[in-house]
Amino acid sequence: MTSRNGTPDGAGRGRTDGRRGGSSPKSGTGTGTGIRRRGLLHNRPFTVFWLGQALSVLGGSVSLLALPLLVLHVTGSVVGMGLITAVAGVFSIATGTFAGHVVDRVDRRRLMIGCDLARAVLLGSVPLLWSLGGPRIWLLYVVTALVSVLKTFFDVAYVTAVPALVEPEDLVTANGRLMGTFALGTILGPVVAGFLVAGVGADWALALDGASFLVSAVSLGWVRFAVRERAERKPEGTSLREVFVVGFRFLWAHALLRPLTVMLTLLTFVTVGATDLLIFRLQSELGRDAATVGYVIAVSGAGVVCASFAAGPLRRTLGFGTCWTGSTALIGVAVAAIGVSRSVPVIAAMAAVFMFGLTLGGICSMTLRQEVTPDHLLGRVTSAFWTVHNASGPVGAAVLTALAARHGVPPVSLAAGAMCLLIAGSGLLTPMRGGRTGPPRGRVAGSGRGSRSGSGPAAAEPGEPSATERR
């Protein structure tokens, strides 16, 4: 859940007309003189992309349940399930340090298609090898590691793809639509997975997830991203550290992204463990059963759906700064209320408020990054942003759950909620308080029509960002 953003006109893009994308005004979706913008409803490339990713998200949600169940069936150990999760996390974070560098140097569309096809083969191989030679637990660890690497590459490229498919005025709405689809897939995925595992087994459920990646690859084959601008080549290092520093340096030099990165890192620290606190509160402290926990989590999904529709109008009306700090304040209130309330309906409502705030803030921040980052740096900046703020999550979850086990959920939730409110208040002391960023003047991205950059080698040669370039 994250978003894209910002203002400067084509900084570092090698153009003088303030445009980011390369599609012609004749494409019918432009905002130039005499051309009426048609919006997302008539944007066929984005619609195809959106529908393909919707099915892919549903398949991925199936794997989230099917894979742990398969490990549990083979090993009978919760430790084995935890090790699968650890393997996925380690390989994702490690890949994130250089994924943006790769995304910025290659044809992004072809990279995404390749990741989809490779994941389809890997997941499809599990039931075949299972049936030929019996269960192989090592195979699951290998597949998990490779799929995590491919997923990280795909996800970074995915963020860079949206600005190449929609107009700047539609960016927030497009991100909201994709986030809403993600929420529905996350809610429906475990339900579908339950039926599949019961009907055909967990191994074949993974194969069906692999089939969803084939659909995603086909959908990407039907779209074309806007032409990428050729950036002036500048000397840049090739070591892992230097590759990561390019994106981080840009984040730190930007007046809005620097405080956003710091505050989101702190927010991630106190919110990643919120689901664990919710479950512990309901089951251990209030004595509710697993069905009640499922009901509460299902209700929380309504907050994601509502935020996905509300993000566009709210950001256009209130601006980025107000939306992000307001969403953080909502998260704080919800976390505190969940921890002290003994009423299941109230806890469910606050869980929905929590997810609304988390989703709204994520959409706004992701849109900001997309709007202010030069295209040839977007992959590296996204990768650095995710790596920095996600690194605090596991540590925060461990700290919160340890404190809750010792002192109970209510005081820990109150402290976490107060921390969220403090983060929101601190945003008012930064440039974010006036951050009414929106689409840059001129066109930022084409609709994908009339441009065929996705079918040839990437034009952009990334260089290090100057101090004036903004993400």
Side-chain angles (χ1 to χ4, degrees):
M1 308 179 185
T2 32
S3 24
R4 318 141 201 193
N5 0 45
T7 27
D9 291 8
R13 291 179 175 85
R15 294 188 67 122
T16 58
D17 60 357
R19 296 176 185 170
R20 175 175 179 173
S23 58
S24 167
K26 294 179 181 180
S27 64
T29 59
T31 56
T33 304
I35 302 296
R36 183 171 65 86
R37 189 174 68 86
R38 299 174 65 185
L40 288 182
L41 184 62
H42 302 286
N43 187 333
R44 179 179 172 275
F46 174 77
T47 300
V48 173
F49 176 80
W50 174 43
L51 294 177
Q53 295 313 303
L55 186 56
S56 180
V57 165
L58 181 62
S61 297
V62 168
S63 285
L64 286 178
L65 180 62
L67 185 59
L69 288 176
L70 190 57
V71 173
L72 184 62
H73 174 72
V74 175
T75 66
S77 169
V78 70
V79 175
M81 297 171 65
L83 186 56
I84 279 285
T85 302
V87 167
V90 168
F91 276 85
S92 293
I93 293 174
T95 306
T97 59
F98 61 89
H101 179 74
V102 175
V103 169
D104 285 337
R105 295 181 68 89
V106 303
D107 185 310
R108 293 166 178 170
R109 173 175 161 272
R110 288 184 175 179
L111 175 64
M112 295 172 74
I113 292 174
C115 288
D116 276 339
L117 294 176
R119 285 186 288 181
V121 171
L122 287 169
L123 292 172
S125 68
V126 172
L128 295 179
L129 294 177
W130 226 251
S131 61
L132 292 175
R136 294 182 173 91
I137 189 62
W138 63 265
L139 176 64
L140 297 182
Y141 292 119
V142 172
V143 168
T144 298
L146 294 177
V147 167
S148 297
V149 170
L150 294 166
K151 180 181 184 300
T152 302
F153 279 116
F154 185 93
D155 288 348
V156 174
Y158 176 95
V159 172
T160 69
V162 182
L165 292 171
V166 304
E167 299 293 337
E169 295 84 356
D170 294 324
L171 197 51
V172 180
T173 303
N175 287 329
R177 186 174 294 182
L178 290 166
M179 188 65 70
T181 302
F182 173 82
L184 289 175
T186 302
I187 293 171
L188 295 176
V191 178
V192 175
F195 285 108
L196 289 176
V197 170
V200 299
D203 51 346
W204 284 102
L206 290 179
L208 291 174
D209 181 19
S212 74
F213 288 121
L214 291 178
V215 174
S216 174
V218 170
S219 70
L220 287 168
W222 281 86
V223 302
R224 294 293 183 270
F225 296 164
V227 175
R228 296 170 59 185
E229 301 302 329
R230 182 179 297 276
E232 180 182 352
R233 292 200 64 168
K234 299 178 183 179
E236 63 175 356
T238 57
S239 71
L240 185 61
R241 177 181 175 276
E242 291 170 320
V243 164
F244 176 79
V245 164
V246 170
F248 181 78
R249 183 181 299 154
F250 184 84
L251 284 174
W252 201 250
H254 193 277
L256 288 180
L257 292 181
R258 180 172 60 250
L260 176 63
T261 303
V262 172
M263 287 187 289
L264 191 54
T265 300
L266 295 174
L267 185 64
T268 301
F269 180 88
V270 296
T271 56
V272 165
T275 300
D276 295 326
L277 295 184
L278 171 66
I279 295 172
F280 187 78
R281 174 67 172 165
L282 288 170
Q283 288 202 303
S284 298
E285 296 186 346
L286 300 182
R288 304 291 180 171
D289 58 17
T292 301
V293 175
Y295 149 72
V296 171
I297 293 178
V299 170
S300 72
V304 181
V305 176
C306 291
S308 68
F309 287 104
L314 285 176
R315 187 167 183 244
R316 284 191 294 269
T317 302
L318 302 176
F320 166 76
T322 302
C323 276
W324 196 88
T325 55
S327 67
T328 303
L330 283 177
I331 292 171
V333 171
V335 169
I338 288 171
V340 299
S341 177
R342 302 187 65 87
S343 168
V344 172
V346 171
I347 292 176
M350 288 299 100
V353 171
F354 174 83
M355 292 306 299
F356 179 91
L358 205 64
T359 304
L360 176 60
I363 292 172
C364 288
S365 66
M366 184 167 58
T367 304
L368 177 64
R369 293 198 317 275
Q370 289 170 326
E371 290 172 347
V372 302
T373 305
D375 182 78
H376 70 283
L377 290 173
L378 186 53
R380 281 169 289 181
V381 172
T382 295
S383 186
F385 185 82
W386 284 354
T387 301
V388 169
H389 81 75
N390 283 337
S392 67
V395 179
V399 171
L400 288 182
T401 52
L403 290 174
R406 182 170 183 176
H407 303 289
V409 172
V412 175
S413 291
L414 287 173
M419 183 67 176
C420 293
L421 294 176
L422 184 61
I423 293 171
S426 66
L428 301 177
L429 304 178
T430 72
M432 288 175 59
R433 68 181 182 276
R436 293 188 61 87
T437 55
R441 292 179 297 275
R443 294 182 55 183
V444 176
S447 65
R449 300 171 187 172
S451 61
R452 299 182 57 86
S453 66
S455 59
E461 285 291 342
E464 291 187 4
S466 67
T468 59
E469 286 177 332
R470 295 188 172 145
R471 188 184 193 247

